[in-house]
Amino acid sequence: FLSASCIKKPIEKVNMCVAENRVTSVSSAEIKKASVNTKYTWEEVKKHVTPDDAWIVYQNRVYDVSDWYEHPGGAVIFTHAGDDMTDIFAAFHAAGSQAMMKRFYIGDLIPESVTHKDEQQLAFEKGYRDLRAKLVMMGMFKSSKLFYLYKCSFNMCMWAAAVAMVYFSDNVGVHVASALLLGLFWQQCGWLAHDFLHHQVFKQRKYGDLAGIFWGDLMQGYSMQWWKNKHNGHHAVPNLHNTSAMTSDGDPDIDTMPLLAWSIKQAQSFRELRADGKDSAFVKFMIKWQAFTYFPILLIARLSWLNESFKTAYGLGASSANAEIEMKRRGLQYPYLERAGIAMHWTWMAVLASGFGRFSPLYGMAYFLLATCSCGLFLALVFGLGHNGMATYDAETRPDFWKLQVTTTRNITGGHGFPQFFVDWLCGGLQYQVDHHLFPMMPRHNLAKCHKLVESFCKEWGVQYHEADLVVGTIEVLQHLAKVSDDFLVDMINEFPAM
C-alpha cells in the first residue's frame, strides 16, 4: 500500500487552500491523483487523532480534515479524529452535505483491517441505519409549523405575564411569582432555541439560526454560537472524558472539574496540573462534598452561561481551547445580530428588574437573581437527569454511535405525583433524551412515536435502555456523585496512607 508520505504534500496544499477559502482546480486535481487506489488500514487511521492531524472515516472512505476549523459546524469535527464518523454525520447533516467532503478525500479504508468489529456488530450497525432510513420514509423528520407556532406563542405569553406582574403590581408576592415565571420562561426558551438550532423546524438552516438568535440571544442572553459549539460537542461525544486536564476533546457538559467529578478518573485528573502530583485542598473539599453542593452549583449555573455568552459575542474570551481557535479563524457567524440581541436582552432585563424605575437597586438585584437562579435549576434539572450518573467513557474505549448515545442517556417519565403531560411540557422534548440523541434533527412532537421503535430495537439487540421519573432520576444522580466521592477518598487514602 502507499504510505501517508506519498500524498502528504498535495493534501497539505489542499488544506492550506481550504483554510483560505480558495480551493483551486489544481488542488482538486492533485488530491484526486494522490488518492486513486490509495488504501489505509484502521491502524493507520487511528494514528491521526489531533486537530492538526485529523483523519476521519465515512462509509469506508478516508478523509483528511486536519486543521479544518472552518468546518460549518466548528471544531466538533475533531471529536471523531481517527475514528468512524458515519453515523454522527448522518445524525447532524442535511442531505447533500457529502459533496463538501470530496476535497478532503484521500483514499479508502480496508474493511478487513477493522478487527474490533465482528459480524454481529456489523449487523447491529446495519440494523440501526436501516431504522433511521425507515423513520425518514415515515416522515418523522418533518416538523409541524403549527406546533411550533403554538409553542412560540405560549412562551411569549409567559414573558408578557411576567412583565405585566411587575408593571401593574407593587406586591412583593406578585414580584416573586413574576421572577419564578420569568425563570420558567427562560427554561422553555432554552428548549425552543434547542429545537431551532438543531434544525428540527426549518430545512433552511439560516432560518433556524435566526430563530435561535431570537430565543437565545434576545430572550435569554445566550450566544447562539457559544451554545452551538458547546452543544454540538456534547452530542458528538456524550459523557466522554477529556484525554487529559489540558485537552478539550471530551464532552463539554461533563467538563465540570474541579467542582464536580462524574468518575474516579475525572476526580483525579487535576493531579497532572500540580508539581507534586497530588490533589489540591480545594479539589479534595469539592469532590468530598459534591453530592451536597450539586444543587447550589445548579442554582448559579445560568450566571456562568451568561458570562461565557457575553465573552463569546463580544470577543472577550472563549469557553474552551477549540472554541478559542474557532473564533480566531472563523469569528461569529452573525456578529452584529448576536451582539445586538444580547445588548437588547440586557436592556429589557434592566428595565424589568428595575420595576420600570420603581425598585431600589437591591430589590432589583434580588428579582434578577431569583429569576436567574430558578432558571438555572429548572434547566439543569432536566438536562442533568438526561446524562448525569449514567455511563462515562474514555476516548479509546467508547462504543459505537448507538451504544454510546443510549448507555450515556436517561429518559424521564411521569411518576411520584408528576403526571406524564407535565413532564412532557417541563422537559420540552428532552424527556425522550435517548431518542433525541439518536436522531437530533427529529422534531420533538415526533419523539413519542419514535420512542416505541427505538425501545423495540434496543430490546431486540440487548442494548441497555434506562428510564426514570424526576424523583428517582435525581436520587440516582446524587447517589452516583456520592459513590464517586467515596471512591475518591478511599483511593486517596490507599495512595497516600500517611495523610
Side-chain angles (χ1 to χ4, degrees):
F1 305 117
L2 294 177
S3 67
S5 61
C6 295
I7 61 170
K8 184 177 181 180
K9 184 175 181 180
I11 298 301
E12 287 177 343
K13 184 174 181 179
V14 171
N15 285 341
M16 179 180 66
C17 294
V18 170
E20 296 175 0
N21 294 318
R22 53 182 180 85
V23 178
T24 66
S25 58
V26 175
S27 299
S28 299
E30 287 180 340
I31 191 169
K32 184 175 181 180
K33 180 179 178 181
S35 60
V36 170
N37 297 323
T38 305
K39 305 289 184 182
Y40 297 102
T41 64
W42 183 250
E43 183 180 3
E44 174 64 27
V45 172
K46 293 295 291 181
K47 296 176 182 178
H48 304 271
V49 297
T50 61
D52 59 350
D53 181 21
W55 288 12
I56 54 178
V57 175
Y58 175 75
Q59 295 185 344
N60 288 335
R61 294 164 73 86
V62 183
Y63 300 85
D64 183 351
V65 294
S66 302
D67 207 37
W68 191 34
Y69 284 94
E70 291 75 22
H71 170 241
V76 65
I77 193 170
F78 302 127
T79 62
H80 278 66
D83 208 344
D84 191 319
M85 63 139 191
T86 300
D87 296 298
I88 194 67
F89 183 93
F92 269 94
H93 293 80
S97 299
Q98 297 90 332
M100 183 178 288
M101 298 164 56
K102 291 180 180 179
R103 63 176 180 260
F104 301 108
Y105 172 66
I106 59 172
D108 295 326
L109 180 69
I110 303 170
E112 295 77 14
S113 69
V114 185
T115 57
H116 63 286
K117 294 183 180 181
D118 56 21
E119 290 299 321
Q120 183 178 8
Q121 176 62 27
L122 294 174
F124 174 69
E125 292 182 3
K126 181 180 184 302
Y128 65 69
R129 290 166 189 171
D130 289 344
L131 175 59
R132 178 182 176 81
K134 179 181 179 180
L135 292 169
V136 172
M137 294 297 293
M138 292 172 62
M140 299 289 277
F141 290 88
K142 294 180 180 179
S143 67
S144 166
K145 303 303 185 292
L146 285 176
F147 172 83
Y148 281 103
L149 177 62
Y150 151 70
K151 293 302 297 182
C152 291
S153 300
F154 189 90
N155 270 28
M156 289 309 299
C157 287
M158 291 176 66
W159 178 78
V163 172
M165 292 165 77
V166 170
Y167 187 81
F168 291 107
S169 177
D170 290 320
N171 184 278
V172 175
V174 173
H175 296 161
V176 169
S178 170
L180 294 174
L181 180 59
L182 186 63
L184 197 56
F185 161 75
W186 281 331
Q187 187 235 34
Q188 291 293 306
C189 284
W191 309 149
L192 265 181
H194 172 269
D195 290 1
F196 282 112
L197 294 174
H198 266 302
H199 309 295
Q200 297 175 6
V201 185
F202 299 114
K203 289 185 178 179
Q204 286 284 344
R205 298 198 164 202
K206 182 177 182 180
Y207 299 153
D209 288 342
L210 294 177
I213 289 174
F214 177 84
W215 292 110
D217 295 73
L218 176 60
M219 302 314 295
Q220 295 183 86
Y222 295 158
S223 162
M224 181 269 290
Q225 192 153 327
W226 162 80
W227 183 89
K228 285 177 71 172
N229 181 286
K230 182 174 182 290
H231 195 67
N232 287 346
H234 160 68
H235 263 270
V237 286
N239 280 16
L240 203 71
H241 289 311
N242 287 331
T243 303
S244 72
M246 302 299 293
T247 62
S248 301
D249 54 355
D251 179 358
D253 281 5
I254 65 165
D255 184 16
T256 51
M257 280 292 288
L259 302 180
L260 298 168
W262 300 102
S263 71
I264 183 64
K265 178 178 179 179
Q266 187 180 23
Q268 298 170 343
S269 63
F270 269 40
R271 292 178 180 178
E272 65 181 271
L273 302 179
R274 291 173 58 90
D276 60 6
K278 298 180 181 181
D279 301 298
S280 68
F282 181 75
V283 167
K284 292 175 186 177
F285 176 85
M286 293 305 299
I287 303 305
K288 179 180 179 180
W289 300 105
Q290 63 179 5
F292 299 94
T293 60
Y294 177 65
F295 280 109
I297 288 172
L298 296 187
L299 287 173
I300 61 174
R302 187 171 186 269
L303 292 173
S304 173
W305 301 330
L306 288 170
N307 177 57
E308 294 297 336
S309 292
F310 191 88
K311 290 194 301 182
T312 298
Y314 287 92
L316 302 177
S319 57
S320 69
N322 282 341
E324 182 178 6
I325 297 174
E326 182 182 331
M327 291 302 296
K328 287 181 179 178
R329 298 275 288 271
R330 294 180 61 201
L332 289 171
Q333 187 176 2
Y334 303 97
Y336 300 114
L337 287 178
E338 287 230 53
R339 290 164 188 161
I342 288 181
M344 292 172 65
H345 167 80
W346 285 108
T347 299
W348 72 255
M349 188 63 238
V351 172
L352 179 60
S354 72
F356 295 89
R358 306 193 317 274
F359 295 168
S360 69
L362 187 61
Y363 193 93
M365 181 60 68
Y367 177 91
F368 168 75
L369 288 176
L370 180 58
T372 295
C373 293
S374 64
C375 172
L377 183 62
F378 295 149
L379 273 172
L381 268 178
V382 175
F383 63 68
L385 286 185
H387 299 281
N388 294 344
M390 297 298 291
T392 58
Y393 295 99
D394 299 324
E396 61 272 15
T397 61
R398 65 179 170 186
D400 63 77
F401 168 77
W402 184 284
K403 292 175 184 174
L404 176 65
Q405 304 296 334
V406 173
T407 60
T408 59
T409 308
R410 177 194 292 107
N411 276 4
I412 308 172
T413 63
H416 278 86
F418 295 103
Q420 188 63 48
F421 74 85
F422 171 77
V423 173
D424 291 345
W425 179 83
L426 179 72
C427 298
L430 296 185
Q431 69 276 21
Y432 296 111
Q433 186 77 270
V434 174
D435 315 87
H436 166 65
H437 260 257
L438 292 170
F439 309 107
M441 292 196 296
M442 181 179 292
R444 75 166 88 163
H445 53 75
N446 288 334
L447 288 174
K449 297 177 183 177
C450 172
H451 171 70
K452 296 179 180 179
L453 294 173
V454 170
E455 186 176 32
S456 175
F457 181 85
C458 287
K459 288 180 179 178
E460 177 185 352
W461 288 92
V463 178
Q464 180 183 357
Y465 192 104
H466 186 54
E467 296 180 330
D469 64 41
L470 287 166
V471 175
V472 173
T474 299
I475 292 173
E476 289 177 356
V477 172
L478 295 176
Q479 288 177 337
H480 180 84
L481 287 170
K483 184 179 184 305
V484 173
S485 296
D486 292 342
D487 292 344
F488 174 74
L489 292 174
V490 169
D491 184 80
M492 185 172 62
I493 293 172
N494 291 335
E495 190 166 352
F496 306 110
M499 293 178 62

